Amino acid sequence: MIKEVIVVEGRDDTVAIRRAVEADTIETGGSAINQRILKRIALAQERRGVIILTDPDHAGERIRKIIANKIPGCKHAFIPEADATRKGDIGVENASPEAIRHALARVHTSYEGAPSLIDWEDLIEAGLIIHPQAAARRMEMGNILGIGYCNGKQFHKRLSVFQITREEFSGALAQIEREGM
């Protein structure tokens, strides 16, 4: 049984989570997240802790940001888009139990205002911004680090918020370079 309550977008996500692990969930009902749901999430965070596991798409990221901005200290789990896509549909409900367990094993806690351990120049040198393959490299790096895909500015912020160390960053960079990316 996972101690924290897992926040997902809908009923199908809850079904997928329960196929993978024993856990309680709160469903946001999609991107129209309201104050009643936010109060339930805040209470869950206070009592048991919260893991946000939303779809790896724009709407899922929007929900993640809303919750994280209103309720500090939430944990975050990310499923790579490739592991959450079936027949062109992207969502947690499409992920295998193994992909869900893998994401939950690599949970990150956000630390807003934490000092950045990785500089903007490091992202440039790593080809994660201002590079023809920057988006693809960020996607792969985000999957390796377990922080998801996002644009360059948001990627830099996530490295800071999740306190990704230089060693973790260097190891992930070496891995994508070994893979020829």
Side-chain angles (χ1 to χ4, degrees), residues 57-72:
D57 60 9
H58 181 72
E61 286 302 312
R62 182 179 172 278
I63 293 167
R64 184 183 296 277
K65 281 182 188 177
I66 290 169
I67 296 167
N69 286 336
K70 300 279 185 189
I71 304 161

Side-chain angles (χ1 to χ4, degrees), residues 106-127:
R106 302 177 71 211
V107 167
H108 294 279
T109 304
S110 63
Y111 298 101
E112 290 296 330
S116 182
L117 304 174
I118 310 298
D119 298 328
W120 192 252
E121 293 75 30
D122 295 323
L123 298 182
I124 294 170
E125 287 177 26

Side-chain angles (χ1 to χ4, degrees), residues 18-32:
R18 291 192 176 143
R19 277 194 309 255
V21 294
E22 189 177 335
D24 294 319
T25 61
I26 293 175
E27 298 163 5
T28 66
S31 60

Side-chain angles (χ1 to χ4, degrees), residues 8 10-20 25 27 93 100:
V8 295
R11 190 175 312 122
D12 292 339
D13 298 338
T14 292
V15 170
I17 295 295
R18 291 192 176 143
R19 277 194 309 255
T25 61
E27 298 163 5
E93 72 273 12
I100 292 169

Side-chain angles (χ1 to χ4, degrees), residues 100-161:
I100 292 169
R101 285 191 291 269
H102 184 70
L104 292 171
R106 302 177 71 211
V107 167
H108 294 279
T109 304
S110 63
Y111 298 101
E112 290 296 330
S116 182
L117 304 174
I118 310 298
D119 298 328
W120 192 252
E121 293 75 30
D122 295 323
L123 298 182
I124 294 170
E125 287 177 26
L128 298 170
I129 53 174
I130 313 172
H131 184 278
Q133 295 296 313
R137 290 172 68 86
R138 276 194 314 276
M139 179 176 281
E140 188 61 27
M141 188 93 148
N143 290 341
I144 293 166
L145 294 170
I147 62 172
Y149 171 75
C150 47
N151 67 30
K153 185 175 178 182
Q154 193 65 29
F155 191 81
H156 185 250
K157 181 177 179 181
R158 282 189 187 174
L159 292 171
S160 175
V161 166

